DNA sequence: TGACCGAAAACTGTATACAGAATAGCGTCG
DNA sequence: CGACGCTATTCTGTATACAGTTTTCGGTCA
């Protein structure tokens, strides 16, 4: 039965179920019936339940007292907190990298990524490229201090709804104000790297926190002026305010 | 079969397995055979596997490529990072509580707990009482800002090995230097509460971080001067350095 | 008409069965 | 005597069976 890789069914269940939840495939607070879902995904209840457990842990689902799970409800403040949390953790990663020195292998890659980002925002904006290298920048940042535990926790924080560094880079190239925002973000990227290199821990930390505030600004912008777009940002459909 | 509460088997599996792992019931990097373990705990593989998944997520176990799990190995630096992480998160909780104001209900309870801690360290040390109210103080701190997400993440961080605020309060009343450490800790508790009340966010954050450094100092003391005691602190048996 | 009660259906948590992969043990060959 | 390969056992991942609980729906009574 294991013709495929090690736990293919579970992996599939996790990915599909997560994207279903984020994509608002279920109504607000709706309970998820295991049997039906399992059939719908054409796998058995066992790996599906594994996936549900995981999503509960990630915060997307919540266990209901009487049994089973339902999709979690978020207030706008929860999303803001999640972004703040990511900022704090990235700030810590930046500070520790400054204090301890960067992991050499990652440091050289960081420079390359920064260059790529520069060219992505220079001249005509290469949105796809920016998207890709921005994600890598934040991934590198998390691992730059060489702390496995911090990197893991940062990865987890990025899975909270709309808290990932890439959350607001989903087909937003059409928003005119957005171009400038990306330029500012890249300036902050550079400043963070400079601070880390110069062993300026406090500055690096403050910059990372401020950088996360851009995401918060985007969140507020989208919620206020482009509610239609809120559909496209992964977790925003879960907001009930 | 569900004569007991909702998922009793899983809960039991989780608690017992975690305490087994923390208590060094398994050798370094040993693989955990599911069938044998299930029989040993007299439950089926299903809830046991759930518990294992959870412990993997907590970081106590790690999945091995070929299948199954083994107990994770930690370097001393990992434990230090876990403590630092808790400090950062508690610092954020303190700062946000200062900036936003404390949740009223929790604020009054905080005062009571601080009084209890005062009397616990005054005169002859009431270690058991200190232990209990210290745990509650840190729990309150995590929820003081009213952020569910932050509280959850803080709770998670406390489950990393030896990172909980109570980790180094396990029967250490016999160490002479320790008494003074508790007094200093309580002074820091008071200072944090003062800062939060006065809306001094930066000070509150800094104090919380410094407070966590006490745990780090305890860690280093135990590892260097009382290796015998390292057996008694929950996660320290997992350190391979 | 509306509320309460009871039976049936649906659903969850747990145990077990099953299939394929990994590992260990043993024999054989160099 | 040691290395290699084959087979048997063990173990994991997945599916399914089962028991008890929750929920729903229809009927009865006020």
């Amino acid at each position: 039965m294991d013709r495929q890789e090690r736990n293919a069914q579970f992996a599939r269940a996790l990915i599909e179920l997560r994207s279903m939840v984020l994509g608002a495939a279920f109504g607000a607070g709706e309970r998820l019936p295991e049997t039906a879902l399992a059939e719908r995904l054409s796998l058995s209840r066992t790996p599906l339940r594994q996936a549900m457990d995981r999503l509960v842990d990630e915060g997307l689902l919540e266990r209901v007292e009487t049994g089973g799970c339902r999709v979690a409800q978020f207030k706008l403040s929860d999303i803001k907190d999640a972004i703040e949390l990511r900022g704090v953790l990235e700030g810590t990663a930046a500070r520790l990298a400054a204090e301890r020195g960067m992991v050499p292998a990652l440091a050289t890659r960081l420079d390359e990524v920064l260059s790529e980002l520069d060219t992505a925002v220079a001249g005509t904006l290469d949105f796809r490229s920016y998207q890709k290298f921005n994600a890598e920048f934040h991934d590198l940042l998390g691992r730059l201090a060489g702390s496995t535990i911090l990197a893991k926790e940062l990865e987890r924080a990025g899975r909270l709804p709309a808290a990932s560094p890439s959350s607001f880079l989903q087909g937003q190239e059409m928003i005119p104000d957005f171009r400038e925002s990306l330029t500012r973000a890249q300036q902050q990227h550079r400043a963070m790297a400079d601070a880390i290199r110069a062993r300026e821990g406090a500055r690096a930390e403050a910059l990372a926190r401020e950088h996360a505030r851009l995401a918060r600004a985007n969140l507020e912008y989208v919620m206020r002026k482009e509610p239609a777009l809120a559909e496209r940002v992964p977790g925003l459909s879960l907001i009930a305010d």
Side-chain angles (χ1 to χ4, degrees), chain A:
Chain A
M1 189 144 298
D2 271 348
R3 198 156 309 153
Q4 331 191 17
E5 64 223 60
R6 189 119 279 272
N7 37 8
Q9 306 309 309
F10 164 60
R12 198 158 61 84
L14 182 59
I15 290 176
E16 297 205 19
L17 185 55
R18 179 159 41 206
S19 97
M20 283 172 82
V21 172
L22 289 178
F26 307 99
E30 184 181 352
R31 263 183 69 191
L32 307 190
E34 299 177 359
T35 320
L37 262 184
E39 189 170 6
R40 203 170 175 296
L41 299 178
S42 48
L43 37 78
S44 95
R45 279 179 60 215
T46 308
L48 175 64
R49 286 185 111 248
Q50 270 181 279
M52 289 171 74
D53 279 354
R54 180 77 162 256
L55 291 187
V56 166
D57 200 85
E58 288 185 11
L60 287 186
L61 302 180
E62 53 188 18
R63 196 145 268 120
V64 38
E65 200 54 44
T66 164
C69 298
R70 67 180 165 210
V71 310
Q73 298 273 51
F74 293 92
K75 289 177 297 188
L76 185 56
S77 66
D78 289 327
I79 312 287
K80 288 181 187 169
D81 286 352
I83 294 174
E84 175 90 11
L85 178 63
R86 173 170 65 84
V88 165
L89 291 178
E90 287 187 344
T92 300
R95 173 172 63 83
L96 292 184
E99 292 170 355
R100 303 174 176 178
M102 302 191 251
V103 175
L106 301 181
T108 66
R109 180 62 190 156
L110 190 71
D111 285 335
E112 297 171 14
V113 169
L114 283 171
S115 293
E116 295 283 0
L117 284 171
D118 271 340
T119 68
V121 296
T124 136
L125 175 63
D126 184 345
F127 188 75
R128 192 69 52 179
S129 171
Y130 185 89
Q131 204 170 358
K132 172 178 155 197
F133 288 109
N134 177 68
E136 186 175 352
F137 175 85
H138 285 271
D139 175 62
L140 282 172
L141 179 57
R143 291 155 42 211
L144 212 54
S147 166
T148 310
I149 284 185
L150 181 57
K152 259 195 201 168
E153 223 61 21
L154 199 36
E155 199 185 328
R156 155 179 311 278
R159 276 196 292 263
L160 289 168
S164 145
S166 318
S167 287
F168 294 93
L169 295 179
Q170 306 290 78
Q172 294 181 13
E173 58 273 54
M174 64 283 297
I175 298 187
D177 309 338
F178 212 64
R179 162 88 202 249
E180 188 219 331
S181 167
L182 293 189
T183 310
R184 263 181 50 209
Q186 168 62 358
Q187 286 167 356
Q188 291 178 331
H189 290 158
R190 281 247 172 246
M192 287 166 59
D194 284 348
I196 293 173
R197 238 187 313 264
R199 299 301 183 84
E200 299 169 352
R203 177 173 168 236
E205 178 167 14
L207 281 166
R209 289 192 183 184
E210 195 59 29
H211 185 59
R213 285 288 172 130
L214 270 184
R216 181 167 166 158
N218 286 339
L219 170 65
E220 283 164 351
Y221 180 92
V222 166
M223 293 302 284
R224 201 161 354 99
K225 299 198 182 162
E226 301 276 352
L229 212 148
E231 303 301 307
R232 219 178 306 179
V233 178
L236 293 194
S237 54
L238 302 181
I239 296 182
D241 208 5

